Amino acid sequence: MSKDYTTYAPSPLGTLQITAEENGLTAINYTDNPATESSNKHQHPVLTKTVDQLNAYFDEQRKAFDLPLVLKGTDFQQKVWKQLQQIPYGQTITYSELANRLGDPQKARAVAGANGMNPLPIIIPCHRVIGADNKLTGYSGGIQRKEFLLKLEGALLL
């Protein structure tokens, strides 16, 4: 059994709970727990690297992440998450477009479900997927966070 390492990091979206295993990053969750200095003593190099890259992203100094990922999900979820990583910074696609990229335009709902199960929001940019009517739809961290991320990337112009 692999040991989990966890840290909390402040961000413009609130505190992020970041979890890794020995081989890589496993989860990022939005939390109401405030980040504290004692909890930010990163117990693993992947956590330190993740916090550094997230800080650079929020400072608009990084557009892509270079982190080892440990993704646990079904084969279909893994395929969706891989496709999400292909969406360029500052661009959006619809759930239908994502389903088309996977070879089955009828699976837009299944794609949305897998998108919602993404364990690494921000790193795997599920926020870049929008509704067919170009509306912001579901995001595990809430629509306001999705809107913030898209504005940060210049993808959402008001």
Side-chain angles (χ1 to χ4, degrees), residues 100-115:
N100 282 335
R101 289 182 184 189
L102 291 166
D104 192 343
Q106 302 302 312
K107 290 200 172 186
R109 284 185 186 264
V111 163
N115 199 47

Side-chain angles (χ1 to χ4, degrees), residues 2 13 21 35 41 53-54 67 90 94 108 111 126 154:
S2 183
L13 300 173
E21 291 179 357
K41 292 182 181 167
Q53 289 190 21
L54 284 166
L67 299 163
T94 66
V111 163
C126 55

Side-chain angles (χ1 to χ4, degrees), residues 51-93:
V51 171
D52 290 346
Q53 289 190 21
L54 284 166
N55 286 336
Y57 169 81
F58 288 122
D59 288 341
E60 299 181 56
Q61 301 300 308
R62 175 174 281 278
K63 294 183 178 184
F65 296 93
D66 178 25
L67 299 163
L69 308 180
V70 177
L71 297 171
K72 297 175 184 173
T74 66
D75 287 344
F76 182 74
Q77 288 171 332
Q78 298 270 350
K79 288 176 186 174
V80 171
W81 300 337
K82 185 173 182 160
Q83 279 299 313
L84 290 172
Q85 293 175 70
Q86 304 305 311
I87 305 169
Y89 179 96
Q91 295 184 26
T92 59
I93 66 170

Side-chain angles (χ1 to χ4, degrees), residues 2 6 21 33 42 49 58 60 70 92 95 106 111 127 132 137-138 140 147:
S2 183
T6 300
E21 291 179 357
N33 295 338
H42 312 307
K49 190 174 180 182
F58 288 122
E60 299 181 56
V70 177
T92 59
Y95 294 100
Q106 302 302 312
V111 163
H127 61 276
T137 57
S140 63
E147 182 177 9

